[in-house]
Amino acid sequence: MFLPISVLDAPSNLGLRPASPGAIPGVYRLPRVLRAQGIVARLGAEDAGVVTPPAYSPEAEPDIGFRNGAALGRYSVALADRVGALRAGGRFVLLLGGDCSVLVGSSLALRRAGTHGLAFIDAHDDFSYVKDRARMAGWFTAAGLDLALATGHGPDALCDLEGLKPYLREEDVVHLGLSRTAEDTAEAAVHEFDTSRIASLPLTVIRERGAKSVGDEARSRLEARGLTGFWIHVDADVLDLSVMPAVDSPNPDGMRLEELTTLLASLLASPQAVGLELTILDPDLDPEGHCARAFTDAVVAAFVQSGRVP
């Protein structure tokens, strides 16, 4: 019933700003630490190797407007080639990111193959630009605007690769787990997300109705759209700070690990789910590996509960 699983590494940090001058964002080591937790063997998966990204630069890129924009464009095409080949071979793809900008490559691969949907699990909307765009020109980070880019809102150098804009239609996206902070509201033009055609099931709804009910609704919405299939995106910052401090934007009001597992299990139980990407956990902020272990356990449990893994 379910497709065999291939695990592919996408250790990119191209979509992030440095935490301090001269620092290199450590999310590029996310695949390494999840593999160290045995994720490939525990899922009975094929090791599909790695798509190595270009070198990270902390500098502004005014021509495209996004930090590392040109490099991210090249990397997204290379990543789409590998994801697309695995999908064409009948594999379910578990993509171990880096940062959230890997969605540009994965959604490009999906667009090449048909019309796909997306279950987007993230504490932030990753769609709304800051109010003062001129101030940020050249300094935008794709990891914080990946959903905007994948749905066609941004420079063509990232949004219209191969003339396929948009890679995902807004109406084919369900956002899960949004929990805005006061800072988010002050900085972002939040109306851009709120007036989009993206369906949103925020954390408040998950708490009111339960993760299984909300996961089942998201799955039903996507299945009802007559799509070629749907992809799942997980940003680790959707989890509460108490269990996931190893992210660049720790979440003081996030999901519990068991809520994430239940939500993912509902989505993975759909035969139309064709892939899952995991992003943002930074091993530099998790020196003893506690977060990597808990995150891996939660994801593996979701595969087991969904019936994809015995």
Side-chain angles (χ1 to χ4, degrees), residues 25-34 97-98 246-247 280-292:
V27 294
Y28 73 92
R29 294 199 297 117
L30 185 156
R32 192 183 313 170
V33 298
L34 296 196
V247 293
I280 291 297
L281 189 156
D282 186 341
D284 288 350
L285 305 175
D286 183 33
E288 297 183 357
H290 298 313
C291 294

Side-chain angles (χ1 to χ4, degrees), residues 45-63:
E46 170 195 56
D47 185 345
V50 58
V51 182
T52 303
Y56 176 85
S57 170
E59 301 303 321
E61 196 165 314
D63 290 344

Side-chain angles (χ1 to χ4, degrees), residues 162-202:
E162 302 173 7
L164 292 176
K165 176 182 179 178
Y167 314 134
L168 300 164
R169 301 180 304 191
E170 290 177 21
E171 58 267 32
D172 296 331
V173 179
V174 179
H175 190 299
L176 300 121
L178 184 65
S179 55
R180 288 191 183 122
T181 65
E183 182 181 358
D184 294 331
T185 303
E187 284 292 320
V190 293
H191 65 276
E192 292 180 347
F193 179 77
D194 295 342
T195 59
S196 74
R197 297 185 300 279
I198 297 170
S200 180
L201 295 167

Side-chain angles (χ1 to χ4, degrees), residues 34-261:
L34 296 196
R35 283 174 175 269
Q37 294 298 325
I39 194 168
V40 177
R42 292 168 69 182
L43 295 177
E46 170 195 56
D47 185 345
V50 58
V51 182
T52 303
Y56 176 85
S57 170
E59 301 303 321
E61 196 165 314
D63 290 344
I64 293 176
F66 278 72
R67 196 189 303 258
N68 291 294
L72 179 59
R74 296 192 304 273
Y75 184 63
S76 296
V77 172
L79 185 56
D81 290 344
R82 288 289 291 122
V83 171
L86 291 168
R87 288 289 307 119
R91 313 293 299 191
F92 178 98
V93 181
L94 175 57
L95 188 66
L96 306 181
D99 68 62
C100 293
S101 68
V102 297
L103 179 63
V104 178
S106 55
S107 61
L108 173 61
L110 299 173
R111 178 67 180 85
R112 288 173 177 173
T115 303
H116 288 76
L118 174 68
F120 190 84
I121 303 173
D122 198 311
H124 306 92
D125 70 49
D126 284 15
F127 184 89
S128 300
Y129 284 77
V130 294
K131 294 173 183 176
D132 185 0
R133 293 198 188 195
R135 176 175 60 85
M136 291 298 295
W139 297 101
F140 284 113
T141 51
L145 288 165
D146 49 300
L147 186 54
L149 297 173
T151 53
H153 302 282
D156 284 350
L158 296 174
C159 293
D160 197 27
L161 295 167
E162 302 173 7
L164 292 176
K165 176 182 179 178
Y167 314 134
L168 300 164
R169 301 180 304 191
E170 290 177 21
E171 58 267 32
D172 296 331
V173 179
V174 179
H175 190 299
L176 300 121
L178 184 65
S179 55
R180 288 191 183 122
T181 65
E183 182 181 358
D184 294 331
T185 303
E187 284 292 320
V190 293
H191 65 276
E192 292 180 347
F193 179 77
D194 295 342
T195 59
S196 74
R197 297 185 300 279
I198 297 170
S200 180
L201 295 167
L203 182 62
T204 52
V205 173
I206 294 170
R207 290 281 159 76
E208 289 168 3
R209 292 174 37 197
K212 186 177 189 310
S213 172
V214 171
D216 288 348
E217 178 181 337
R219 170 185 168 178
S220 296
R221 283 175 179 255
L222 292 164
E223 290 178 337
R225 296 201 55 81
L227 302 163
T228 309
F230 68 85
W231 188 262
I232 307 166
H233 168 96
V234 176
D235 181 334
D237 75 12
V238 79
L239 290 164
D240 193 82
L241 169 63
S242 62
V243 295
M244 184 52 67
V247 293
D248 59 339
S249 297
N251 187 351
D253 183 27
M255 287 187 200
R256 299 184 296 273
L257 284 163
E258 57 269 26
E259 288 176 319
L260 177 61
T261 292

